[in-house]
Amino acid sequence: MALTVAVQMDPIQAIRIAGDTTFALLLEAQARGHDLLFYTPDRLSMQGQVVTARVEPLRVQDVEGAHATLGAVERVDLADVDVVLMRQDPPFDMAYITATHMLERIHPRTLVVNNPAEVRNAPEKLFVLDFPQLMPPTLITRDKAEIEAFRAEHGAIVMKPLHGHGGAAVFRVLPEDANFGSMFDLFSVTFREPWVVQRFLPKITEGDKRIILVDGEPMGAINRVPALNDIRSNMVRGGAASPSDLTKREREICATIGPELKRRGLILVGIDVIDGNLTEINVTSPTGIRAIKRLGGPDLAVSVWDAIEGRIAALA
């Protein structure tokens, strides 16, 4: 069945296709005969209950620098398309939240992936707190006394912004660290929201595993090892990826959270696990599909589209 698929994302001309999960999803959709429409979030509008976007018909090919061909701009009612892929990158700010409210008006009549209400209700570093038994000790606060008490209990910690992404502003603070006061001041003036404070996991040097779940089922993984003199394993920060299977503990983590992901309509999710500890559940624009395939794993874009088409068939 041919579908009309609109993708809400950042400017497609600027993406690096070798590692871009959204591009992998578009390639698979096109291969299945689906029609593609592209728009950026600033082209989304709502008048009354009608949600529209100024879109451009899109063709893609796996050729760097010539990967996207766009047609003439047209205005479409998103209630008339079959699928919207909500794939713009964070920050998860008020603009992002507003987009979820607008797309919620058309879902599930138009299937939005991921479910926009649940994307809004499951921010990565807070949703994970629903599963404290799977996590390292974690504190959400901007209260200095609370952080100092947490440090006294757990020793070395990691501090990061609650709605940060891509490894930005992630710091390790040692038990006796003369920089803590200055770091606290810096966070206080830079980030208005509370921060995430977690016990430092020394085995981060062995890797931070990204596991992709599709409709609640673990489908593939890569292990990302930080660069020398860095604790951040994100590939955009120099982390090196290698193929990886799941441990027994990691399968237990997936079995615990999978049913809730499926219930919430979170079709494509990426979780991060360090030394058997769940640290994040990424639902906004999870990545890793192309890296998994490049390193010899399955093409998870196929699994994602099987799940999407299954959901649409069930709604018919």
Side-chain angles (χ1 to χ4, degrees), residues 10 24 55 86 95 109 131 180 183 191 224 272 297 302 311:
D10 301 313
V55 305
M86 186 177 182
R109 182 175 68 257
F131 308 97
F180 173 67
M183 193 176 302
F191 307 111
R224 304 168 299 175
D272 296 335
V302 173
R311 290 281 181 117

Side-chain angles (χ1 to χ4, degrees), residues 19-277:
D20 195 277
T21 288
T22 304
F23 190 73
L25 296 175
L26 294 174
L27 284 172
E28 178 62 21
Q30 182 175 275
R32 293 180 180 224
H34 302 327
D35 295 322
L36 302 180
L37 303 173
F38 161 82
Y39 69 96
T40 50
D42 57 298
R43 293 184 181 182
L44 189 65
S45 302
M46 184 168 71
Q47 185 171 359
Q49 292 296 306
V50 179
V51 180
T52 62
R54 290 191 306 108
V55 305
E56 295 166 89
L58 170 67
R59 296 289 298 174
V60 291
Q61 60 177 351
D62 205 356
V63 178
E64 187 73 55
H67 54 273
T69 301
L70 296 169
V73 175
E74 57 185 289
R75 181 178 179 271
V76 300
D77 183 341
L78 291 181
D80 293 334
V81 308
D82 299 296
V83 182
V84 170
L85 299 177
M86 186 177 182
R87 291 290 306 176
Q88 76 266 28
D89 288 338
F92 190 73
D93 54 13
M94 287 308 299
Y96 211 116
I97 290 171
T98 300
T100 69
H101 281 289
M102 295 169 75
L103 292 179
E104 188 179 0
R105 298 300 198 278
I106 62 170
H107 179 83
R109 182 175 68 257
T110 293
L111 183 67
V112 182
V113 181
N114 284 319
N115 180 338
E118 296 300 340
V119 167
R120 184 175 67 248
N121 294 335
E124 286 64 276
K125 298 177 182 69
L126 282 176
F127 179 32
V128 70
L129 294 172
D130 287 0
F131 308 97
Q133 74 278 22
L134 305 178
M135 297 182 63
T138 300
L139 171 69
I140 309 296
T141 191
R142 55 184 295 125
D143 186 294
K144 188 175 184 180
E146 289 292 325
I147 299 173
E148 289 175 333
F150 190 86
R151 288 175 68 207
E153 180 180 359
H154 296 291
I157 62 170
V158 169
M159 288 177 56
K160 53 188 175 182
L162 181 61
H163 296 305
H165 63 101
V170 177
F171 292 93
R172 181 178 66 163
V173 182
L174 300 175
E176 301 292 335
D177 197 324
N179 289 312
F180 173 67
S182 294
M183 193 176 302
F184 179 86
D185 292 342
L186 178 63
F187 270 53
S188 295
V189 299
T190 305
F191 307 111
R192 297 181 61 187
E193 71 272 14
W195 320 315
V196 180
V197 184
Q198 284 182 330
R199 185 183 69 195
F200 176 66
L201 300 172
K203 288 193 175 181
I204 181 61
T205 56
E206 298 176 11
D208 177 353
K209 192 169 293 188
R210 165 56 58 89
I211 303 170
I212 298 294
L213 295 95
V214 178
D215 224 7
E217 295 294 329
M219 303 298 290
I222 51 173
N223 192 46
R224 304 168 299 175
V225 178
L228 187 65
N229 295 322
D230 205 333
I231 64 168
R232 302 170 300 174
S233 61
N234 312 70
M235 287 184 283
V236 295
R237 305 294 174 186
S242 60
S244 183
D245 295 322
L246 300 188
T247 66
K248 180 181 177 181
R249 168 64 172 173
E250 289 159 354
R251 292 192 179 280
E252 290 172 353
I253 290 171
C254 293
T256 300
I257 69 174
E260 181 64 9
L261 301 179
K262 185 169 185 176
R263 185 191 71 80
R264 289 173 176 249
L266 298 170
I267 292 175
L268 175 56
V269 172
I271 67 171
D272 296 335
V273 179
I274 303 171
D275 189 24
N277 292 273

